[in-house]
Amino acid sequence: MKIALVGATGLVGGVMRKVLEERGFGDCELIPAASARSVGKKVTFAGKVCNVVSVEEAIEQAPEYAIFSAGSGPSLQYAPLFAQKGTVVIDNSSAWRSDPDIPLVVPEINGDVIRPADHIIANPNCSTIQMVMALAPLHKRYRIKRIVVSTYQSITGTGMKAVNQLAKERAGEPCDMAYPYQIDMNLFPHGGTFEENGYTTEETKLLNETRKILRDNEIGVSATVVRVPVTGGHSESVNVEFYEDFEMSEVYDLLNNMPGVVVQDNPAENLYPMPLFAKDKDEVFVGRIRRDFSQPKTLNLWVVADNLRKGAATNAIQIMQMLVNR
Ligand code: A2P
């Protein structure tokens, strides 16, 4: 089987190569593609050295699958060209997520929405994936009315340039800025770009993608996205109001039984999810699970996951794995 990886030289591209190997795709022929700047560079995959090619050349080879992590522009331009060749595209950018004809998939939740004819499948935003992983089993049982979420997002979500910015700032050296401000010793309530209504694009994704994945357009989401000088994963403080009341013991059972979710919640031992634990792990970690006593039928959760893994590479490769198994 041939797999094209568009954005193979990027931060997520590197994790994609690792996760592909871990999940048994090491024998596949990898076609690493990136921008014209990188053509001819080498990347490693499953112990082999592969040449980076242009996206056009990758399309010519008509691979069975193409996984994209190169931003929205290349996805809009090239995904349809792969699809015309019969390739199934799994796209990690926001280019196709809100298109009603394109499935937006977290395999543990709504893998069933992919139809045999689908040739472009969207991978959700990293902060949405980890939040819906924790909320999907609770939504099924109690139905969510409204979510108030504040995120504490790792700089790795912005890509290589942001990782370089933080490293250089820590070393006291000048650098190209990925953000409008210094990120070391700082944080800012700003992810993506500002929209006319005062929210950022990253905040709007949390609303629209949650509704689409959980198949409920009445869910309210009020989000504040914060970028923090952390690597290893995104954290989220989630306050969720349901239509039905719940028993705490059942909430624990539902979370413990959700595939891909790990409950880490023992205040007596200072056990709660942290990016330091979540780094390089595929699971979504949930802790600080508490009833919100300020209003009925409302729960607080703290949700952490490695945004480069379940938030990006792992989820995309799980989608491919599911299709291969079909
Ligand atoms: P390149 O390394 O040639 O710039 P990151 O998010 O870590 O910055 O990575 C972005 C990835 O997307 C890189 O692999 C980058 O390649 C790739 N990329 C950026 N623009 C394009 C483009 N126009 N066509 C193909 N790949 C692109």
Side-chain angles (χ1 to χ4, degrees):
M1 192 167 88
K2 285 194 216 171
I3 304 169
L5 184 55
V6 180
T9 54
L11 208 52
V12 174
V15 181
M16 293 270 191
R17 283 183 271 130
K18 214 189 298 178
V19 176
L20 278 169
E21 202 180 324
E22 286 170 9
R23 295 194 166 237
F25 293 101
D27 290 337
C28 294
E29 185 186 333
L30 188 80
I31 308 167
S35 78
R37 292 180 290 277
S38 299
V39 172
K41 282 189 185 166
K42 316 256 185 241
V43 295
T44 54
F45 174 63
K48 292 163 281 189
V49 177
C50 319
N51 285 319
V52 176
V53 299
S54 66
V55 187
E56 288 82 358
E57 194 176 330
I59 295 167
E60 271 314 299
Q61 295 198 39
E64 279 87 345
Y65 292 93
I67 307 177
F68 272 63
S69 195
S72 289
S75 293
L76 283 171
Q77 186 181 352
Y78 296 116
L81 303 180
F82 270 109
Q84 276 168 23
K85 288 267 183 186
T87 300
V88 173
V89 173
I90 300 162
D91 180 37
N92 196 41
S93 82
S94 59
W96 303 96
R97 290 179 192 150
S98 55
D99 186 323
D101 288 333
I102 303 285
L104 180 68
V105 176
V106 178
E108 293 90 340
I109 301 172
N110 67 338
D112 58 292
V113 297
I114 304 176
R115 300 149 297 193
D118 285 322
H119 276 73
I120 301 177
I121 295 154
N123 203 46
N125 181 248
C126 41
S127 27
T128 310
I129 293 179
Q130 66 184 73
M131 186 172 83
V132 295
M133 281 288 288
L135 293 183
L138 306 178
H139 179 58
K140 216 166 163 184
R141 177 71 179 84
Y142 312 116
R143 192 174 172 214
I144 295 171
K145 188 171 181 187
R146 176 172 184 254
I147 300 163
V148 181
V149 54
S150 299
T151 71
Y152 304 68
Q153 294 188 204
S154 160
I155 52 127
T156 56
T158 316
M160 211 77 102
K161 197 172 172 187
V163 173
N164 287 337
Q165 180 181 330
L166 180 64
K168 295 274 185 188
E169 285 171 354
R170 286 187 175 165
E173 293 170 14
C175 59
D176 283 345
M177 299 287 279
Y179 299 119
Y181 295 103
Q182 172 183 323
I183 182 68
D184 188 28
M185 310 287 282
N186 193 20
L187 55 81
F188 22 83
H190 179 182
T193 53
F194 282 98
E195 298 177 328
E196 261 178 23
N197 63 7
Y199 285 83
T200 66
T201 46
E202 291 283 299
E203 289 161 352
T204 303
K205 285 174 193 173
L206 276 156
L207 167 67
N208 295 338
E209 297 182 20
T210 297
R211 286 180 167 178
K212 187 166 173 178
I213 297 161
L214 297 183
R215 299 180 246 213
D216 188 337
N217 283 330
E218 287 174 28
I219 295 176
V221 179
S222 181
T224 303
V225 163
V226 182
R227 191 71 64 181
V228 293
V230 162
T231 57
H234 291 352
S235 305
E236 295 175 339
S237 166
V238 182
N239 178 266
V240 53
E241 182 184 359
F242 299 101
Y243 285 98
E244 302 292 326
D245 204 0
F246 53 83
E247 292 293 336
M248 287 303 293
S249 57
E250 194 184 46
V251 166
Y252 277 97
D253 288 346
L254 290 166
L255 290 169
N256 276 317
N257 289 328
M258 175 68 185
V261 165
V262 173
V263 174
Q264 266 181 344
D265 196 11
N266 187 353
E269 293 186 7
N270 295 339
L271 180 68
Y272 32 72
M274 292 190 290
L276 208 58
F277 284 153
K279 186 173 165 41
D280 293 329
K281 309 240 170 60
D282 286 322
E283 295 87 357
V284 172
F285 299 91
V286 184
R288 301 299 319 281
I289 306 166
R290 292 152 288 155
R291 185 179 284 280
D292 177 351
F293 295 111
S294 71
Q295 66 170 11
K297 304 175 190 170
T298 306
L299 186 73
N300 282 310
L301 303 166
W302 176 250
V303 184
V304 180
D306 185 334
N307 53 296
L308 299 179
R309 287 250 167 185
K310 184 59 182 169
T314 302
N315 197 72
I317 290 160
Q318 282 177 317
I319 293 172
M320 186 175 80
Q321 219 160 10
M322 195 178 68
L323 296 175
V324 169
N325 291 339
R326 273 185 191 174

